Amino acid sequence: MFQFFSVNKNLIMPPQSEIKRYLGYKKSDLVDDITQKEINCCIDEIVQVAAPNSVYENFPLELFQKNKIKFADVEFSSADLYSNLIGFSSTDKPCTKIVLLAATIGVQVDFLIRRYQQKDCVKAAIMQAVAASFIEEYVDLLNKKIKDDANILGEKTRARFSPGFGDVSLQLQKDFFRILPCSKIGLTLMDTLIMAPEKSVTAFIGIQEN
């Protein structure tokens, strides 16, 4: 059964350090007062319009030689994801389940960014950074929910892994949208494999039995 997850958007607080990183600052760099004021303003505006929502489900997982991964009716090869699912230490066991998740913070955030792109390119860049941090923080909360549920069952989760990262083909986006009811959270996939709304995430999370 598909599971949906949402939170009070006022509880999503993107870390200032992540916003700075998206803006190209180094950890040691200080943000001037004017930029900090703009960052705080962008956070407030995004919180007003954001509509965080997500859907996820786990599936039995099979791992074969030559980096082959199989779940549901999907079968593909990826050395990077395979390594993640097999484990990196001697105490890790191969994952036996895999979670597919899709999350978004809503189309209104895209509209807000595009509006500023037409009249204020500096603020648009800050808005992009804040929105990117906002969706990542929301997915971290979803990730924690999945991890906590796994822990209750005596299981462990691996770090999430998104299509397009490493050698995991972006073409797998099509399987996410075919398997998960992404339309129910207002999420669509364009022919270019870019998601709409743009500030959205899909990811795998491996689950290991203890």
Side-chain angles (χ1 to χ4, degrees):
M1 179 181 288
F2 300 112
Q3 301 179 71
F4 295 87
F5 174 78
S6 188
V7 296
N8 184 333
K9 60 187 178 182
N10 293 293
L11 299 178
I12 303 173
M13 295 302 298
Q16 293 283 334
S17 58
E18 282 300 291
I19 296 171
K20 285 174 58 178
R21 184 176 67 83
Y22 279 113
L23 287 171
Y25 286 89
K26 297 177 181 178
K27 286 186 178 180
S28 58
D29 290 342
L30 297 177
V31 177
D32 62 85
D33 291 343
I34 294 175
T35 302
Q36 186 61 61
K37 185 177 179 180
E38 289 283 24
I39 289 172
N40 294 340
C41 180
C42 288
I43 291 173
D44 290 341
E45 289 188 56
I46 284 177
V47 168
Q48 288 179 28
V49 303
N53 208 350
S54 57
V55 60
Y56 65 100
E57 187 53 279
N58 64 62
F59 302 88
L61 172 69
E62 294 180 86
L63 300 171
F64 302 96
Q65 292 183 341
K66 298 184 178 179
N67 304 322
K68 188 175 290 185
I69 299 162
K70 184 178 181 181
F71 60 88
D73 61 351
V74 181
E75 188 173 325
F76 64 99
S77 294
S78 164
D80 293 331
L81 182 56
Y82 186 87
S83 295
N84 173 290
L85 297 172
I86 285 290
F88 297 101
S89 73
S90 58
T91 58
D92 286 337
K93 298 177 183 177
C95 292
T96 56
K97 293 190 287 188
I98 192 166
V99 175
L100 272 65
L101 68 85
T104 184
I105 54 174
V107 70
Q108 292 299 324
V109 175
D110 284 5
F111 290 158
L112 189 62
I113 292 170
R114 283 199 287 271
R115 192 170 79 220
Y116 280 112
Q117 286 173 336
Q118 295 171 1
K119 63 179 183 179
D120 188 339
C121 60
V122 173
K123 187 159 185 176
I126 296 173
M127 193 69 75
Q128 283 276 15
V130 171
S133 300
F134 198 89
I135 179 63
E136 284 298 319
E137 186 70 8
Y138 171 52
V139 176
D140 282 347
L141 292 175
L142 171 57
N143 206 143
K144 184 179 184 304
K145 161 70 172 167
I146 294 169
K147 180 179 180 179
D148 289 346
D149 288 348
N151 288 343
I152 290 172
L153 298 175
E155 300 169 334
K156 295 181 180 179
T157 57
R158 299 284 165 77
R160 68 176 181 265
F161 211 105
S162 289
F165 182 76
D167 67 352
V168 178
S169 173
L170 199 58
Q171 290 287 332
L172 286 165
Q173 293 280 54
K174 295 179 180 179
D175 293 304
F176 277 81
F177 279 77
R178 180 174 56 82
I179 293 171
L180 297 176
C182 294
S183 61
K184 289 189 176 181
I185 62 168
L187 194 53
T188 59
L189 185 67
M190 295 185 280
D191 291 341
T192 56
L193 301 180
I194 294 174
M195 291 181 285
E198 208 171 296
K199 292 299 179 278
S200 303
V201 169
T202 55
F204 300 102
I205 298 177
I207 296 181
Q208 168 196 322
E209 295 179 354
N210 278 339

